[in-house]
């Protein structure tokens, strides 16, 4: 099946994390105009938004933050939105990481991004999900993206660009692949934020910190991240 043509303008869901940062640099490298869209949804690690803004300034593209903080109390039961639930430590694929699922989060964000894309005349929405997310997060799986793209097109029929695409360039790749691609593109990894704890520095023990450290190690790329501690019980 031939690869679809590169879009002209993509609205990218941008957390300030490693995956979305590399996605931004990749799209720009391919000549795509990019608008960044971040979300405040009551997340414990809200400091990621400051990193997102800093990266947007570094890249020199537009950046908007959507205020969904009132959703925090509705999307309870997740360690990311409920301060009463501890962020699990250890390997990202461990069963305990299920507590970091925020119900329907990506669908909400993607549909808002689709509306923004239609309003701006953009012909794509982009998202940095990767294959390591599939087992835990149902809204990071290929079948979900196929259906949500269809929803975007159906819900905006007659208004959306006829060649509109939902882009998830790393959907079949690993975090290690993303680090390698980011190194090739010159992504300032030190400006990205991954940690779910949201402390002064990366905690080094939560699932995203463990995954981040392993990805740099496996990619053979120097990790500039400052960690508070080594991951405990992480599989190597």
């Amino acid at each position: 099946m031939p690869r679809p043509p590169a879009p002209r303008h993509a609205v990218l869901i941008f957390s300030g994390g490693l995956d979305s940062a590399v996605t931004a640099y990749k799209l720009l490298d391919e000549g795509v105009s990019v608008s960044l869209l971040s979300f405040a949804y009551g997340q414990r690690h809200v400091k990621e938004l400051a990193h997102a803004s800093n990266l947007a300034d570094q890249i020199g593209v537009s950046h908007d933050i959507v205020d969904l903080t009132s959703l925090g109390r509705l999307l309870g039961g997740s360690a990311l939105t409920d301060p009463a639930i501890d962020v699990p430590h250890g390997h990202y694929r461990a069963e305990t990481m299920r507590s970091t699922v925020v119900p329907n989060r990506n669908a909400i964000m993607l549909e808002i991004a689709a509306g923004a894309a239609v309003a701006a005349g953009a012909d794509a929405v982009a998202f940095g999900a990767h294959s390591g997310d599939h087992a835990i997060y149902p809204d990071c799986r290929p079948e979900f993206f196929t259906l949500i793209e269809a929803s975007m097109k159906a819900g905006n029929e007659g208004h959306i660009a006829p060649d509109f695409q939902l882009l998830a360039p790393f959907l079949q790749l690993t975090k290690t692949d993303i680090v390698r691609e980011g190194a090739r593109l010159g992504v300032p990894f030190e400006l990205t934020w991954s940690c779910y704890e949201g402390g002064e520095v990366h905690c080094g023990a939560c699932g995203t910190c463990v995954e981040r450290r392993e990805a740099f190690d496996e990619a053979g790329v120097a990790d500039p991240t400052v960690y508070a501690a080594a991951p405990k019980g992480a599989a190597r």
Side-chain angles (χ1 to χ4, degrees):
M1 189 176 194
R3 182 182 177 184
R8 300 175 299 280
H9 179 191
V11 175
L12 169 63
I13 294 180
F14 193 69
S15 68
L18 195 154
D19 304 338
S20 60
V22 178
T23 303
Y25 274 74
K26 178 176 177 61
L27 291 173
L28 291 167
D29 184 63
E30 294 172 352
V32 181
S33 175
V34 175
S35 299
L36 305 179
L37 196 61
S38 301
F39 294 85
Y41 59 94
Q43 64 267 49
R44 181 193 303 256
H45 54 301
V46 68
K47 72 173 298 174
E48 68 179 2
L49 299 180
H51 286 259
S53 294
N54 191 15
L55 277 162
D57 290 342
Q58 181 85 8
I59 297 169
V61 297
S62 68
H63 178 227
D64 289 287
I65 299 176
V66 180
D67 187 355
L68 297 178
T69 48
S70 62
L71 275 177
R73 63 181 181 83
L74 298 177
L75 304 180
S78 170
L80 301 195
T81 56
D82 190 339
I85 300 175
D86 291 335
V87 173
H89 288 183
H91 200 278
Y92 199 71
R93 290 192 290 271
E95 184 65 19
T96 54
M97 291 306 293
R98 289 176 61 85
S99 68
T100 63
V101 172
V102 178
N104 211 40
R105 179 184 64 174
N106 289 348
I108 294 168
M109 293 181 179
L110 285 164
E111 290 289 10
I112 291 172
V118 172
D123 56 345
V125 165
F127 191 58
H130 62 88
S131 64
D133 294 330
H134 297 176
I136 299 165
Y137 303 115
D139 55 3
C140 286
R141 296 171 187 163
E143 55 268 33
F144 166 76
F145 281 94
T146 298
L147 293 170
I148 202 76
E149 181 182 50
S151 172
M152 291 174 175
K153 292 178 178 178
N156 294 284
E157 186 178 5
H159 302 276
I160 200 166
D163 53 350
F164 177 86
Q165 302 174 56
L166 174 57
L167 303 173
F170 304 130
L171 198 57
Q172 303 296 345
L173 302 179
T174 68
K175 193 84 162 187
T176 301
D177 295 325
I178 293 173
V179 169
R180 289 194 183 107
E181 180 69 353
R184 182 186 73 82
L185 293 167
V187 173
F189 293 123
E190 68 279 3
L191 300 183
T192 65
W193 183 266
S194 298
C195 181
Y196 282 160
E197 292 283 6
E200 285 300 311
V201 298
H202 284 71
C203 75
C206 73
T208 51
C209 282
V210 172
E211 182 190 49
R212 182 183 176 107
R213 190 194 299 264
E214 289 183 349
F216 277 103
D217 183 52
E218 292 170 4
V221 173
D223 184 358
T225 312
V226 177
Y227 299 99
K232 297 178 181 178
R236 298 296 294 175

